[in-house]
């Protein structure tokens, strides 16, 4: 699947949309410098326990892709209305959050949210491009952090390579598409965070037990199910979505 261009960016740079395809996302992850023992896996159901059993655990993060519609935009505006713009930076941040300023880059932003936070971060190779990017990003405020990503040739090159590996023909960077990526990740402080580069900052969705990952019943109720229920009820039908999980590799 592709991704939404509704990122609020006033800048001109645009990337080819990524498919929410575990092979594509894992390839990008490993190209940037993540150890091969974790990867993305399709989640075919969040209700069928037999299908959920096929997903390697523990799951560190989920990438949800959904159509941008009036319900989502209205809820986002209402929830963000009274929130200040996030201004966090430094080693004291519970999660690292990236503001999106590149058109059609929400898949990349979602991937960076997934790997930069919680236990997943421990799988970044210390001498990798991603490790250097993260080291540079952590001390920066959100605006400067976004500028770092915007100017990164490493990210741009890796993203371009990954975008051509999907099951469907790659769309042009300027293509108008209506799908958006959101990441749900568990911090090392056991909070479930919704991480979306279009929002004002990271959103704490609740506390998990130490042994609960992002595919646990509680995490799904606090995160993906709550999200999809709101969208489905407002739309009067079943919501179109796809979901991949970041966790142990099958290999």
């Amino acid at each position: 699947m592709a991704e939404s261009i509704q990122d609020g960016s006033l800048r001109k740079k645009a990337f080819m949309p990524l498919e929410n395809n575990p092979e594509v996302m894992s390839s990008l992850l490993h190209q940037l410098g993540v150890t091969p023992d974790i990867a993305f896996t399709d989640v075919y159901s969040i209700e069928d326990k037999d299908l959920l059993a096929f997903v390697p655990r523990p799951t560190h993060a989920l990438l949800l892709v959904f159509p941008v519609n009036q319900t989502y935009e209205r809820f986002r505006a209402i929830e963000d209305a009274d929130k200040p713009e996030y201004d966090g930076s430094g080693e004291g941040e519970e999660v690292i959050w990236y503001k999106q300023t590149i058109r059609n880059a929400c898949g990349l932003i979602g991937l960076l949210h997934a790997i930069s936070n919680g236990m997943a971060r421990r799988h970044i190779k210390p001498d990798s491009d991603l490790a250097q990017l993260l080291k540079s990003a952590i001390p920066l405020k959100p605006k400067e952090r976004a500028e770092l990503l915007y100017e990164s040739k490493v990210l741009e090159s890796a993203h371009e390579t990954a975008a051509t590996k999907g099951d469907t023909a790659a769309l042009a960077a300027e293509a108008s598409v209506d799908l958006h990526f959101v990441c749900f990740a568990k911090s090392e402080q056991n909070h479930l965070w919704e991480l979306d580069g279009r929002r004002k900052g990271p959103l704490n969705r609740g506390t998990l037990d130490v042994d609960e990952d992002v595919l646990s019943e509680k995490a799904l109720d606090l995160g993906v199910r709550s999200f999809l229920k709101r969208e489905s009820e407002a739309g009067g039908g079943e919501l179109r979505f796809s979901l991949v999980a970041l966790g142990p590799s099958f290999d």
Side-chain angles (χ1 to χ4, degrees):
M1 298 180 74
E3 60 193 283
S4 170
I5 65 169
Q6 309 296 324
D7 55 30
S9 173
L10 298 178
R11 305 293 295 274
K12 293 183 178 179
K13 180 176 280 191
F15 284 175
M16 290 185 291
L18 288 176
E19 288 186 6
N20 197 28
N21 174 316
E23 288 77 21
V24 169
M25 302 303 278
S26 295
S27 173
L28 177 54
L29 198 70
H30 298 145
Q31 184 178 350
L32 289 172
V34 174
T35 57
D37 56 340
I38 64 167
F40 286 99
T41 304
D42 275 316
V43 179
Y44 293 109
S45 172
I46 55 173
E47 305 298 342
D48 188 318
K49 295 187 185 301
D50 290 336
L51 290 176
L52 279 171
F54 284 104
V55 181
R57 310 289 281 272
T59 299
H60 304 303
L62 298 173
L63 289 183
L64 173 69
V65 174
F66 60 95
V68 173
N69 55 33
Q70 291 183 351
T71 302
Y72 167 75
E73 296 289 18
R74 183 166 54 250
F75 177 81
R76 180 173 71 94
I78 292 171
E79 188 174 36
D80 282 357
D82 297 329
K83 288 182 168 58
E85 292 284 346
Y86 181 69
D87 196 39
S89 64
E91 295 291 345
E93 282 184 293
E94 183 173 339
V95 290
I96 184 168
W97 177 77
Y98 303 99
K99 183 176 180 65
Q100 182 180 343
T101 58
I102 303 170
R103 182 177 173 180
N104 282 346
C106 56
L108 173 65
I109 298 298
L111 179 146
L112 290 175
H113 280 143
I115 194 59
S116 298
N117 291 297
M119 298 294 288
R121 189 192 292 189
R122 301 184 183 191
H123 294 269
I124 299 174
K125 297 176 183 177
D127 58 347
S128 66
D129 290 330
L130 185 55
Q132 183 56 52
L133 184 76
L134 194 60
K135 181 180 178 181
S136 299
I138 287 173
L140 301 177
K141 295 291 187 180
K143 182 178 179 180
E144 290 72 26
R145 190 178 286 170
E147 190 69 19
L148 176 73
L149 302 190
Y150 190 93
E151 298 295 342
S152 173
K153 299 302 182 185
V154 168
L155 284 183
E156 186 169 0
S157 175
H159 186 282
E160 183 177 3
T161 299
T164 62
K165 292 184 177 180
D167 292 332
T168 58
L171 296 175
E174 294 77 16
S176 179
V177 288
D178 68 347
L179 298 168
H180 186 58
F181 283 74
V182 169
C183 175
F184 291 91
K186 181 182 179 181
S187 70
E188 295 204 39
Q189 289 75 25
N190 300 314
H191 294 127
L192 179 70
W193 291 87
E194 182 179 329
L195 302 165
D196 180 349
R198 294 187 64 217
R199 304 299 293 265
K200 285 187 173 181
L203 298 162
N204 188 341
R205 294 308 190 193
T207 303
L208 303 175
D209 289 339
V210 173
D211 60 349
E212 290 178 315
D213 67 6
V214 295
L215 269 183
S216 66
E217 286 296 303
K218 185 175 182 181
L220 288 172
D221 286 342
L222 290 171
V224 174
R225 283 182 186 141
S226 176
F227 188 101
L228 296 179
K229 181 180 179 182
R230 180 182 71 244
E231 298 287 323
S232 180
E233 289 178 348
E238 185 177 356
L239 178 69
R240 207 165 31 97
F241 74 96
S242 71
L243 192 66
V244 295
L246 178 61
S249 172
F250 280 119
D251 296 333

